[in-house]
Amino acid sequence: MGSGDHKLDALDDGALMVLFANGDTAAAQVLTMRLLPRAYRHAARVLGDRAEAEDVAQEAMVRLWRAAAGWRSDGAAKVTTWLHRVVANLAIDRLRRSGRSVGFDEAGDPPDPTPGAEAHLTQNARMAALDAALAGLPERQRQAVVLRHIEGYANPEIAEMLGIGVEAVESLTARGKRALHAALAGEKEALGYGD
Amino acid sequence: MVTDPKDHNIDRLFAEASGDQPPADLVARVLADAAALQPASAPVRAAVRGNWLRDALDAIGGWPTLSGVTAAGVMGVVIGVYGFEMIDALANGVLTDLGGGYSLTPDLSAWVWEEGNV
């Protein structure tokens, strides 16, 4: 990117949305580089399917571009909050349509994340193991764990993204992490973290 | 705060997941969507609005022509207000010289004289 884009890097997402709406093509590039990885990771970890995650991330970004014309840079809404809310809803729709959704009361034992007897997994396999463990969590718990522990958002932000209270987020992330730990227990060697 | 050693592996797994990047073809598709959905830029719209003026100027020879027309118009107004003699005096007789003496209008006296002799 050119020197002009370095100036754009210093702007917040809301200001870039306004620039995009005014025809600034560099703003589209900066927003894509900044937001698409977050949307994609969120979808990938919640859906456990890269092709579906790509579709959801692309659709969420299309909605973002369409929302730019009416975006107010001085408004209260944060672009990341808005985008993750869209990703969460699109992902839940897909999970429910495909019958892969796990409700709060339906969560059973997570599937065995160990792919065979290999002592050392590749990075992709480790991600597959994580996805398999996440797939055993109820969908809200899964979303909260991904947004808190992988994307690093604060609980109040996650509460806004998922449309629930902050205390509920705290509960979901704590229970989710405990469940993941149980699912991945004993996989220290298999996950390749031998130290 | 002491970290539970049991969480160590899962935290490393989270950290690894946080570096996961979208594939290049997805980035390309998203940028293509952005290009297709982006409103036309403000500078382009301004240029389109300005085209009628440029076309009109081109038709009469561009900005140099317009400056010549403007200068002639201004000079006409000034002469009308202050009178030819005053302007010519202030310009040290330049206007008279340009006209080859006081002959900005045709001198018909010779015609009258000739007709009188016929």
Side-chain angles (χ1 to χ4, degrees):
Chain A
M1 286 192 279
S3 59
D5 298 334
H6 291 305
K7 291 178 184 172
L8 295 184
D9 285 337
L11 297 177
D12 65 29
D13 297 335
L16 289 169
M17 289 281 276
V18 174
L19 283 177
F20 173 81
N22 286 327
D24 190 324
T25 55
Q29 293 175 0
V30 176
L31 281 169
T32 299
M33 295 307 145
R34 201 180 278 183
L35 300 176
L36 178 61
R38 288 183 173 278
Y40 171 71
R41 282 193 297 264
H42 180 179
R45 297 285 84 81
V46 169
L47 291 165
D49 183 297
R50 289 182 175 267
E52 279 197 293
E54 288 187 32
D55 289 345
V56 165
Q58 185 176 0
E59 173 61 23
M61 292 300 287
V62 163
R63 295 187 185 192
L64 181 87
W65 304 136
R66 288 188 172 136
W71 198 270
R72 285 185 55 191
S73 62
D74 58 347
K78 286 183 69 175
V79 179
T80 47
T81 302
W82 185 93
L83 182 66
H84 281 293
R85 191 184 302 150
V86 171
V87 171
N89 289 333
L90 289 172
I92 287 173
D93 285 348
R94 284 195 175 235
L95 288 172
R96 289 178 181 171
R97 277 206 308 269
S98 66
R100 289 182 289 140
S101 176
V102 179
F104 281 103
D105 302 324
E106 304 165 19
D109 294 332
D112 182 0
T114 311
E118 292 89 351
H120 194 86
L121 301 178
T122 61
Q123 181 186 0
N124 282 346
R126 281 198 293 270
M127 290 303 99
L130 176 61
D131 289 344
L134 283 166
L137 304 183
E139 59 193 33
R140 284 288 183 200
Q141 209 174 88
R142 197 184 316 172
Q143 304 249 20
V145 166
V146 169
L147 293 168
R148 178 73 186 94
H149 294 295
I150 296 178
E151 293 307 317
Y153 290 109
N155 288 345
E157 285 180 285
I158 298 169
E160 203 174 339
M161 290 167 185
L162 300 182
I164 56 179
V166 176
E167 287 182 1
V169 173
E170 291 168 357
S171 172
L172 287 171
T173 52
R175 282 158 48 204
K177 193 170 181 183
R178 278 199 302 273
L180 282 181
H181 186 270
L184 295 167
E187 307 302 330
K188 183 176 177 180
E189 293 298 324
L191 290 172
Y193 299 139
D195 54 337
Chain B
M1 190 175 78
V2 177
T3 304
D4 186 341
K6 290 185 297 185
D7 287 340
H8 185 57
N9 281 341
I10 201 165
D11 285 340
R12 288 177 68 171
L13 206 51
F14 286 147
E16 195 170 330
S18 70
D20 203 5
Q21 293 296 316
D25 61 328
L26 174 60
V27 175
R29 290 201 303 274
V30 168
L31 287 173
D33 288 341
L37 294 170
Q38 187 166 32
S41 68
V44 169
R45 284 200 299 269
V48 169
R49 282 198 301 271
N51 276 346
W52 69 268
L53 178 59
R54 190 167 62 235
D55 292 345
L57 284 174
D58 288 345
I60 61 171
W63 283 106
T65 304
L66 190 64
S67 63
V69 170
T70 303
V74 169
M75 181 57 77
V77 170
V78 170
I79 290 174
V81 170
Y82 294 103
F84 178 82
E85 287 76 13
M86 178 179 287
I87 301 303
D88 190 44
L90 290 172
N92 290 324
V94 169
L95 294 180
T96 307
D97 292 342
L98 286 174
Y102 291 100
S103 57
L104 291 178
T105 53
D107 184 359
L108 302 178
S109 58
W111 286 82
V112 173
W113 181 252
E114 285 175 5
E115 283 178 0
N117 287 336
V118 172

